[in-house]
Amino acid sequence: MNKKILVFLSLFVALVSQSQVKTFTLDEAVMQQNKAFKAEKLQGFQWVPNTTNYVYYTALGTKMMMASTADAKAKEVLTLTEINATLGTKLKTFAGLEWMDATTVLVSENGKYYSYSLTTKSGKTIQETTESAENQTFDTSKQNLAFTEKNNLYFFNKNKEKITVTNETNEGIVSGQSIARNEFGIKNGIFWSPNSSYLAFYQKDQSAVADYPLLDITETPGKLINLKYPMIGQKSEKPRVGIYNVSTRKTVFISPKSGVAEDYLTNLSWSSDEKYVLIAELNRAQNDMSLNEYDANTGGFVRTILNEKNNAWVEPEHEAFFPSATSDNFVWFSEKDGFQNLYYYSIDGKLIKQLTANTFPAREIIGANPTGTEIYFKATGANPTNMLVYKVDLKGKQTLLTKDEGVHTFAVSTDGNWYFNEYSNHSTPSKSLLIDKNLKVTTLLVSKNKFDGYQMGSADIKTIKAADGVTDLYTRLIKPSNFDPNKKYPVLVYVYGGPHAQMITNSFLDGANLWMYWIAEQGYLVFTVDNRGSDNRGFAFESVIHGRLGVHEMDDQLKGVDYLKSLPYVDGNRLAVHGWSFGGFMTTSLMLRKPDTFKVGVAGGPVTDWKYYEVMYGERYMDTPAENQKGFDEASTLNYVSNLKGKLLLIHGTNDDTVVMQQNFALLKKFVEAEKQIDFFAYPMHKHNVLGKDRVHLMTKVLNYVIENNK
């Protein structure tokens, strides 16, 4: 074969290969990242109680497959069709299914709860709530079901009698719901005791909290919706904890021991023997926390187990964890040594052992072995972009259970001898593993890369120095698939920058959204840096922001800009910035306080002045205007509108109940007064995040605005 034919064939093969490369649309990037492009996993994995069997779902979550540690070959044991035919339900997925025992599952639909036996293929109704019921919470026996209706708390007992726990006619007094706007790790407001002898619950009196008006435009005329929204420095809710005795049908109440009605009651837990309730009590200034113990029968104060103070803040986020049902010794999370570690206490307040002394944060307790002698927990490890799993015994011996770097999910069998581990990292879409107690690993599933065959760029993960010249900051730079180092590229900086968030993780796509890869294919670089103040780096890293939100964060973002401008392929005159929520605050702050840096900015749901934000989050980081007026003035973007040079688009959901729309309106008013032209877009009836198909509209608007104004 002559050379001309070889050249022709090579070109032909190249052209055919190129024609087979697929591209994804922005619509697909927004809507399909966690659907069509989602990695293959053992969906809904659960250990079957008191066995070494496990189940997961296939066929879009409609078939239950069972396998075991002895035989990984799965067999179909249940389908949604079977359940629906037996119970008369119309379930579309197994999501939310719970195991009651080794052969019985609990399923729910529209407030009705059923047990279904895999052995007899039969089922029955356990409980049925009304249409108005919310916050349904079963006890451990799955017989007593607590729930709320409007502002009151009730439960159905095992005889299906409806029991009234509270009967408040003042709608400002709310029982059984989450309080403190879900800060301090609070996720619910109902707490059954271990043996169902008592029902504890949060109660908040928000009568004095100001109403914030939201508009429902779906009615004619529009309807006013009043939201209780405690703004910084103003009246806040007053919490109590009620303890209802199931046998006597009497309730006792606990108020803050400090006597200050607006102090916080958080992280409620029951002792294993049901004698005590433990509550983390935090002053409103959030710099003094006591873990207090109360008598469950009388509500009487027993003792303060521990106390922590800090000039910045103390933030309890985890309730006491009791590893053994036969002991009242418990594990407590604390950042008092600079990193969140685990401490083992007796119920009478004695520190038995500091279980971990890591220079990285523990994040979550997964559980304990049956004897309560080993605790399984998640932590970052030395690389803060990871989320690994460890175990520690009561003598403080710590063992890493996940040998691969990445972000892991983990489940422990009832006997504590087997682990299920599913993880991803920079180069691994997903891998599902079975691990025995000797840490021998069996691979159950390796996902293919759903992006194979697509035209898609890559991400570089690196570190740069923070503005302090010492601290390492993690960066992510996404490049297009046809990246040419000899070209000059515009850059979109995606920013969040606030507490309790980490943008860069050692997971597949490195924590990025798929739309970032879409805009990279339009000829952009997309850059992110996790500045000081963000998550998973320890207390000093996060608390540097106290009282001066935006200052150190912007300094670090500018170090990111310096890094970008040092790259020969970056067009330093074509930089854009976009962020949402705290990222919206950062975007407006950068556009107005560092006006020569970015040519374009798009700020979604931004905090523009911290005095308009909520008490619980805002006062932790900024104190109150009366205490820190200088800090509030410095952080307020309203004071810098005259500096604007670039193009700025502000976006807000009209029914945002997290960052209320007054934030954006106040900034708009200042721009009008300063005779500055900016762009604004509202998403009617959306809350803090624009979700569903409207999110495609949102990202189209954001990215088109960047591309059109950053030429």
Side-chain angles (χ1 to χ4, degrees), residues 286-301:
Q286 299 188 42
N287 55 18
D288 189 343
M289 184 277 298
S290 293
L291 181 61
N292 288 334
E293 180 182 334
Y294 291 90
D295 185 288
N297 195 44
T298 67
F301 171 76

Side-chain angles (χ1 to χ4, degrees), residues 447-497:
S447 176
K448 65 181 180 182
N449 184 352
K450 295 289 188 69
F451 298 106
D452 277 349
Y454 280 85
Q455 185 174 306
M456 186 172 175
S458 59
D460 294 336
I461 308 301
K462 296 185 177 181
T463 60
I464 62 172
K465 291 299 181 185
D468 64 4
V470 177
T471 308
D472 284 335
L473 304 177
Y474 282 80
T475 67
R476 180 184 63 223
L477 182 63
I478 298 172
K479 300 173 181 177
S481 58
N482 60 352
F483 174 72
D484 182 350
N486 297 311
K487 289 179 61 177
K488 290 279 190 178
Y489 289 89
V491 182
L492 172 60
V493 174
Y494 180 73
V495 61
Y496 183 79

Side-chain angles (χ1 to χ4, degrees), residues 268-488:
L268 187 153
S269 60
W270 280 99
S271 64
S272 297
D273 60 9
E274 298 190 314
K275 290 182 179 179
Y276 306 107
V277 171
L278 273 59
I279 303 171
E281 301 189 29
L282 184 66
N283 64 335
R284 179 163 167 173
Q286 299 188 42
N287 55 18
D288 189 343
M289 184 277 298
S290 293
L291 181 61
N292 288 334
E293 180 182 334
Y294 291 90
D295 185 288
N297 195 44
T298 67
F301 171 76
V302 178
R303 64 174 60 87
T304 294
I305 295 175
L306 59 91
N307 174 266
E308 292 184 25
K309 297 182 176 70
N310 192 288
N311 290 333
W313 64 74
V314 180
E315 187 182 7
E317 297 178 81
H318 303 271
E319 69 275 10
F321 174 75
F322 291 81
S324 171
T326 60
S327 171
D328 277 338
N329 296 337
F330 65 91
V331 180
W332 184 253
F333 284 83
S334 175
E335 286 187 291
K336 63 184 179 182
D337 69 353
F339 294 90
Q340 193 154 253
N341 277 299
L342 305 180
Y343 297 78
Y344 192 47
Y345 281 90
S346 68
I347 197 72
D348 60 5
K350 178 185 176 183
L351 175 61
I352 301 171
K353 179 74 176 177
Q354 180 175 344
L355 297 181
T356 66
N358 297 316
T359 54
F360 51 82
R363 299 301 312 188
E364 174 190 349
I365 289 179
I366 298 169
N369 68 350
T371 58
T373 56
E374 293 181 335
I375 293 95
Y376 312 105
F377 66 98
K378 290 184 179 181
T380 63
N383 180 344
T385 66
N386 286 329
M387 190 57 66
L388 309 176
V389 179
Y390 297 80
K391 71 176 180 180
V392 63
D393 65 22
L394 299 183
K395 295 181 179 179
K397 181 184 177 183
Q398 180 173 282
T399 304
L400 176 65
L401 300 177
T402 51
K403 301 301 184 182
D404 297 283
E405 292 205 342
V407 174
H408 295 254
T409 58
F410 206 77
V412 184
S413 64
T414 305
D415 62 11
N417 290 329
W418 294 91
Y419 313 127
F420 171 72
N421 178 32
E422 204 161 55
Y423 76 95
S424 72
N425 57 34
H426 176 81
S427 57
T428 307
S430 182
K431 188 176 284 190
S432 303
L433 308 174
L434 187 65
I435 308 173
D436 69 14
K437 62 181 180 180
N438 297 315
L439 302 187
K440 180 183 177 182
V441 175
T442 302
T443 300
L444 300 178
L445 177 66
V446 178
S447 176
K448 65 181 180 182
N449 184 352
K450 295 289 188 69
F451 298 106
D452 277 349
Y454 280 85
Q455 185 174 306
M456 186 172 175
S458 59
D460 294 336
I461 308 301
K462 296 185 177 181
T463 60
I464 62 172
K465 291 299 181 185
D468 64 4
V470 177
T471 308
D472 284 335
L473 304 177
Y474 282 80
T475 67
R476 180 184 63 223
L477 182 63
I478 298 172
K479 300 173 181 177
S481 58
N482 60 352
F483 174 72
D484 182 350
N486 297 311
K487 289 179 61 177
K488 290 279 190 178

Side-chain angles (χ1 to χ4, degrees), residues 30 142 344 454 624 655 680:
V30 173
K142 299 295 188 289
Y344 192 47
Y454 280 85
T624 66
N655 281 43
F680 176 77

